Amino acid sequence: MTKYKIITIIIILFISQFVKADEGMWIPILLKKYNIEDMKKKGFKLNAEDIYSVNNASMKDAVMIFGGGCTAELISDKGLIITNHHCGFSRIQAHSSLKNDYLTNGFWAMSNKEELPNPGLTVTFLEYMEDVTKKVLANVNDNMDEAERQMIIAAEIIKIKAEASKNGKFVAKVKPFFYGNEYYLFVSKVYRDVRLVGAPPSSIGKFGGDTDNWMWPRHTGDFSMFRIYADKNNEPANYSPDNIPYKPKKHFPISIKGVKKGDFTLVFGYPGRTQEYLTSYAIKMISKDENPHQIKIRQMKIDVMSNDMNNDPAVRIKYAAKYARVSNYWKKWIGENKGLERLNAIQKKKNFEKKFTKWANSNQNRKNTYGALLPKYKSIYDKLTPYALANAYFYETLYTMEIVRLSSIFVKLTRLYEKSDEKKIKKTVESVRRSVKGFYKDYNKSTDMKIFKQALKMYYDNVDKKFHPALFNLVEKKFKGDFDKYTKYLYKKSFIANEKKVYTFLDKFKLSHIKKIKKDPAYIFYGDALDIYYKEINPKSRELHQKVEKLNRTYVKGQRLMLKDKVFYPDANSTLRVAYGQVDDYKPKDGVKYLHYTTLEGIMEKDNPNIYDYKVPKKLKELFIKKDYGQYAENGQIHVCFTASNHTTGGNSGSPVINGDGHLIGVNFDRCWEGTMSDIMFDPERCRNISIDIRYALFIIDKFAGAGYLLNEMTIIK
Ligand code: ARG
Ligand code: GLU
């Protein structure tokens, strides 16, 4: 070996230590500077401008925030977009009735006229983004106290946003990156007329349900389609029958050439929140304190709900969405904790902290700024932990009791006063009636009571006395600490907890009846819960969190100084990011290796008419038997889902998965259970995102639903 070769190898070894495979959620405008070389090496054939450009049409013009928390992408030049079934779920549900049960049967508009409007649903396009760090931080310095600093920053941000919004034409947001070391401006356009075009039945779109959620091998056809409408000038408009399909600057061509292991993949979307630069103290608090308690509480709720749902089909329908919500993060936290444990994450962070401290202390200047950082963290986390726990308990028990949501509906009535005129009173009563109806539609009292009494008891047993709501006094004195008795008393005494009595109350409502609301035990419970939160839990925990934020700002700054050659990516914060990786399989545990794809065959293997999550529709079975696969098969198989090594998180649902040619090959919808700790620590060996193979979506549209005409407006690459 020549000396030159040895040096090269040493350099490569040195670099590869930093370019950890596939970790990272990158900022689109910085790809050119930091990532594009690496991306090209890994198989990307286009340029950074093809992903993000202000002057020319680029991929960013085809990617949107869908509703509040998902991503969607354009797949035709007539405004057609695709996202996940679970992202469109509530919209599909809203259009469903017993007569037209689109959740069960699916929905396909056979022409533009049949597409269904969705009041309140928006899609948000990014027009441009800009680094505004200099402007935002122009008037702050390191000696300022934190409150002053934040005030100055807030004032700058208001100015920047006002200018960028161009009198309301755009929505402008400024967000902190790296805990406030940097700030970016995001200017977007929001379209408000978005119509439902198609959705498979839940037996496809939600196949596997919560049983398979967060898991591989997966067979969920998790997609739905919508269309954006605009006014005659292609600009955003409220719903109107006169609106026309939006003409996009760019839409994704769809490749049906197939997905192979090792293929380059790019996920372009809106990841919500990650915390990659935490200290060992923070990870300890999350994994040893918050997660275990949250898991325990949700486990109790899941046990109660699933028991009641199994015993009564009506309860199953009523609690389907609630169950899905509770179970989603319950399962995620279990996976996250296992993953952190297996990675030895706390120890890894401790080792790093040792190195950091050594670096900090090696020079007096640094020592002044960073030397005392970790001991400060320790003392704050010691104080924060009981508050974090109380906070977790508050949000998982008191605040999320169904009776609290119900009681909160009545606040509107208590705010009426003597001078409120008849019209206003009537309007308020009617709006309360509507909300109450909506609440009771999906409510089962005995399920709620079981959860209520156990949740309260858990709070009582596990949370420090100083965070106990006033009503615990009553439970101790009047009910000798028996939460069962208290629960029975409350649900019997409360008219709010009695649907019939509520309607009678509303029918006869007079201002003098407000007293009755205020004396209702459910309403008192609600008030007590908020009271303890706003008096005892929230102020101090906010104060401590602000202190942590400040330390984080310094710590991340120090980490970036210390590891000068490493390119840091900022934590996810619901802004547009690029994650790139490759189609890849993984080893979930010793002795087991998973393939990177699943097929229709697996759906037939899981088929079980007795298990709700695994009922396969008859039509799909027929297609399987006839092997009526058209152009969508690969070696005689329909591929359903695939795994890749992209770094994703919640919010990436519905994100396009794009190959090296810039073509759409899948729609992201989940992560593998063994890799769910990637929000805190990424493991290239086990962190995999899960996507639906776009060919499965097309197969369902064309062969299963007979809506193949939709393919005519797509750009299909064969
Ligand atoms: N785990 C995915 C996500 O975090 C899918 C959730 C929806 N599906 C479900 N079965 N609950 O959003
Ligand atoms: N299902 C998640 C979402 O709705 C994506 C899964 C994840 O957390 O990676 O955003």
Side-chain angles (χ1 to χ4, degrees):
M1 227 186 261
T2 65
K3 202 167 140 195
Y4 177 73
K5 264 190 184 164
I6 294 174
I7 291 174
T8 315
I9 288 175
I10 291 175
I11 290 176
I12 289 174
L13 283 176
F14 182 74
I15 291 175
S16 58
Q17 193 200 335
F18 290 120
V19 189
K20 226 163 116 206
D22 309 331
E23 171 173 356
M25 301 170 170
W26 304 98
I27 300 179
I29 53 172
L30 297 180
L31 293 175
K32 205 167 165 176
K33 189 164 164 195
Y34 294 130
N35 312 96
I36 196 71
E37 295 306 318
D38 186 42
M39 290 168 73
K40 286 190 173 175
K41 248 192 321 219
K42 289 176 173 158
F44 187 56
K45 300 200 192 87
L46 309 177
N47 296 311
E49 290 78 19
D50 296 308
I51 300 174
Y52 179 98
S53 163
V54 181
N55 302 315
N56 299 302
S58 61
M59 288 182 200
K60 80 136 175 51
D61 301 314
V63 177
M64 296 137 271
I65 303 176
F66 180 85
C70 282
T71 306
E73 55 274 10
L74 278 151
I75 50 171
S76 91
D77 59 4
K78 296 184 179 64
L80 186 66
I81 61 175
I82 188 165
T83 185
N84 290 146
H85 184 266
H86 78 260
C87 295
F89 192 80
S90 62
R91 301 295 166 173
I92 306 166
Q93 182 177 37
H95 291 297
S96 296
S97 60
L98 279 179
K99 200 166 126 247
N100 291 318
D101 187 351
Y102 302 138
L103 281 181
T104 307
N105 306 318
F107 169 80
W108 304 95
M110 286 300 165
S111 68
N112 284 358
K113 280 212 166 55
E114 286 183 19
E115 295 168 1
L116 301 172
N118 301 284
L121 177 61
T122 58
V123 291
T124 304
F125 286 97
L126 179 66
E127 290 282 316
Y128 68 93
M129 61 179 292
E130 193 184 312
D131 182 348
V132 290
T133 310
K134 284 213 181 87
K135 279 192 218 164
V136 172
L137 299 181
N139 297 314
V140 301
N141 62 55
D142 289 342
N143 306 322
M144 258 171 199
D145 87 63
E146 199 57 15
E148 191 185 356
R149 178 190 170 95
Q150 293 311 334
M151 243 161 60
I152 294 174
I153 288 176
E156 286 302 331
I157 288 179
I158 289 174
K159 270 194 262 169
I160 295 171
K161 276 167 41 175
E163 199 190 316
S165 88
K166 302 270 182 252
N167 294 321
K169 188 170 174 218
F170 301 112
V171 174
K173 278 193 178 150
V174 173
K175 293 213 176 181
F177 282 61
F178 296 113
Y179 297 99
N181 281 295
E182 295 175 10
Y183 285 84
Y184 284 80
L185 164 70
F186 296 85
V187 176
S188 344
K189 220 181 211 181
V190 181
Y191 282 80
R192 306 185 292 272
D193 185 353
V194 183
R195 304 185 195 168
L196 178 63
V197 173
S202 296
S203 53
I204 288 173
K206 210 177 163 357
F207 183 78
D210 290 296
T211 318
D212 285 3
N213 192 21
W214 297 112
M215 299 224 283
W216 187 256
R218 190 68 159 275
H219 300 86
T220 313
D222 200 344
F223 79 98
S224 60
M225 288 191 295
F226 291 78
R227 192 185 303 279
I228 309 168
Y229 279 78
D231 70 11
K232 286 181 196 67
N233 305 316
N234 211 28
E235 291 295 322
N238 290 334
Y239 169 79
S240 155
D242 299 334
N243 288 345
I244 48 174
Y246 169 69
K247 284 182 285 305
K249 292 181 228 168
K250 154 106 195 149
H251 69 274
F252 285 107
I254 297 174
S255 168
I256 57 170
K257 287 186 188 167
V259 175
K260 282 189 304 297
K261 184 178 163 181
D263 281 357
F264 175 86
T265 52
L266 185 155
V267 173
F268 201 15
Y270 284 87
R273 181 173 136 102
T274 60
Q275 317 179 72
E276 312 285 348
Y277 305 105
L278 297 178
T279 58
S280 57
Y281 307 110
I283 299 188
K284 182 168 167 286
M285 186 175 91
I286 294 170
S287 64
K288 307 278 188 215
D289 297 298
E290 291 175 329
N291 280 357
H293 285 274
Q294 290 170 171
I295 292 167
K296 204 170 63 186
I297 301 164
R298 290 203 178 191
Q299 180 70 62
M300 176 277 289
K301 294 184 185 176
I302 284 170
D303 290 345
V304 172
M305 283 194 230
S306 56
N307 191 49
D308 289 3
M309 286 162 81
N310 284 337
N311 287 333
D312 183 350
V315 177
R316 199 191 59 65
I317 293 168
K318 285 179 172 175
Y319 278 72
K322 291 175 194 172
Y323 183 90
R325 202 175 326 117
V326 171
S327 113
N328 195 33
Y329 263 63
W330 162 78
K331 201 161 175 182
K332 150 110 202 285
W333 290 322
I334 295 175
E336 179 173 274
N337 260 16
K338 279 189 185 156
L340 290 172
E341 190 79 24
R342 179 154 54 193
L343 279 181
N344 214 352
I346 296 176
Q347 191 55 46
K348 278 207 176 91
K349 290 284 186 183
K350 277 190 181 154
N351 297 345
F352 179 79
E353 284 154 16
K354 236 185 236 156
K355 271 193 223 155
F356 181 86
T357 306
K358 203 169 148 202
W359 169 83
N361 289 335
S362 65
N363 144 343
Q364 190 55 46
N365 245 342
R366 275 187 215 146
K367 197 169 171 176
N368 296 341
T369 316
Y370 305 105
L373 208 50
L374 285 149
K376 276 190 200 156
Y377 266 117
K378 181 175 176 348
S379 103
I380 289 189
Y381 273 95
D382 284 344
K383 290 190 200 105
L384 182 60
T385 300
Y387 283 90
L389 210 58
N391 204 57
Y393 266 91
F394 174 77
Y395 278 107
E396 291 295 323
T397 67
L398 303 184
Y399 190 63
T400 34
M401 294 296 94
E402 295 205 69
I403 210 88
V404 163
R405 190 157 74 82
L406 178 62
S407 300
S408 73
I409 297 172
F410 287 81
V411 172
K412 269 193 203 159
L413 285 174
T414 65
R415 292 217 176 113
L416 292 171
Y417 59 104
E418 284 138 64
K419 295 216 180 86
S420 305
D421 59 58
E422 278 307 309
K423 230 166 114 194
K424 166 127 200 215
I425 296 174
K426 219 172 153 190
K427 234 176 108 182
T428 310
V429 168
E430 282 328 301
S431 121
V432 167
R433 191 193 305 275
R434 255 177 290 146
S435 302
V436 168
K437 257 202 180 129
F439 173 88
Y440 273 110
K441 182 168 102 37
D442 290 333
Y443 181 70
N444 187 51
K445 198 183 229 176
S446 72
T447 307
D448 181 29
M449 284 174 74
K450 283 175 222 161
I451 291 176
F452 182 85
K453 83 173 172 210
Q454 292 185 66
L456 249 53
K457 178 86 167 87
M458 289 172 113
Y459 191 103
Y460 184 80
D461 289 343
N462 290 287
V463 179
D464 195 302
K465 260 209 151 45
K466 74 169 176 238
F467 304 121
H468 283 191
L471 60 100
F472 280 9
N473 258 331
L474 175 84
V475 180
E476 277 170 354
K477 293 211 176 89
K478 202 165 158 191
F479 301 97
K480 306 218 159 49
D482 186 336
F483 281 94
D484 186 44
K485 282 205 182 115
Y486 167 65
T487 304
K488 283 186 182 134
Y489 150 84
L490 187 152
Y491 283 76
K492 198 167 157 210
K493 271 293 242 311
S494 163
F495 82 88
I496 290 179
N498 183 316
E499 190 174 9
K500 265 200 204 123
K501 284 187 186 162
V502 171
Y503 296 137
T504 316
F505 176 83
L506 290 176
D507 289 342
K508 297 185 185 155
F509 181 78
K510 274 201 240 127
L511 287 179
S512 60
H513 295 168
I514 289 176
K515 284 197 294 286
K516 195 174 171 196
I517 301 175
K518 291 188 172 164
K519 276 198 306 208
D520 190 276
Y523 198 81
I524 290 173
F525 176 86
Y526 162 67
D528 280 2
L530 289 192
D531 211 45
I532 193 70
Y533 179 72
Y534 284 110
K535 285 206 179 114
E536 288 298 330
I537 304 173
N538 178 270
K540 183 82 183 167
S541 87
R542 260 198 24 210
E543 183 197 316
L544 291 167
H545 271 293
Q546 272 165 5
K547 285 190 176 152
V548 169
E549 280 288 293
K550 188 181 170 189
L551 293 185
N552 286 347
R553 193 167 74 229
T554 312
Y555 189 37
V556 169
K557 190 173 170 186
Q559 291 182 46
R560 292 171 87 187
L561 278 175
M562 174 179 149
L563 303 172
K564 273 205 200 68
D565 299 306
K566 175 177 163 170
V567 184
F568 280 67
Y569 62 92
D571 275 320
N573 57 358
S574 298
T575 61
L576 186 59
R577 299 294 178 87
V578 166
Y580 59 94
Q582 53 183 326
V583 176
D584 207 357
D585 49 25
Y586 74 108
K587 275 175 69 175
K589 56 185 168 194
D590 185 44
V592 181
K593 180 148 183 183
Y594 285 150
L595 279 182
H596 64 278
Y597 68 95
T598 56
T599 69
L600 203 48
E601 207 129 331
I603 295 184
M604 301 307 149
E605 279 172 9
K606 281 180 178 170
D607 177 34
N608 185 337
N610 299 319
I611 299 177
Y612 181 79
D613 287 344
Y614 293 135
K615 276 182 201 160
V616 178
K618 201 167 128 246
K619 178 82 189 279
L620 195 58
K621 288 186 200 174
E622 286 165 14
L623 291 167
F624 175 73
I625 289 165
K626 282 193 277 180
K627 300 281 172 286
D628 184 4
Y629 295 163
Q631 56 181 344
Y632 310 109
E634 180 173 332
N635 297 325
Q637 301 249 41
I638 288 288
H639 287 216
V640 175
C641 296
F642 65 89
T643 51
S645 56
N646 301 79
H647 192 181
T648 56
T649 188
N652 272 123
S653 272
S655 299
V657 187
I658 300 150
N659 68 12
D661 297 311
H663 302 154
L664 188 73
I665 53 169
V667 181
N668 184 77
F669 71 93
D670 210 0
R671 269 176 291 167
C672 296
W673 212 20
E674 299 81 2
T676 41
M677 68 296 187
S678 63
D679 293 344
I680 294 172
M681 195 178 271
F682 191 86
D683 176 5
E685 298 298 318
R686 290 204 179 84
C687 290
R688 297 289 176 268
N689 59 314
I690 304 178
S691 308
I692 170 172
D693 190 310
I694 199 68
R695 291 169 297 172
Y696 183 53
L698 298 182
F699 164 75
I700 293 298
I701 296 167
D702 184 358
K703 296 284 179 177
F704 178 85
Y709 65 92
L710 282 169
L711 271 68
N712 297 338
E713 61 180 285
M714 301 177 195
T715 310
I716 309 277
I717 310 285
K718 296 186 187 176

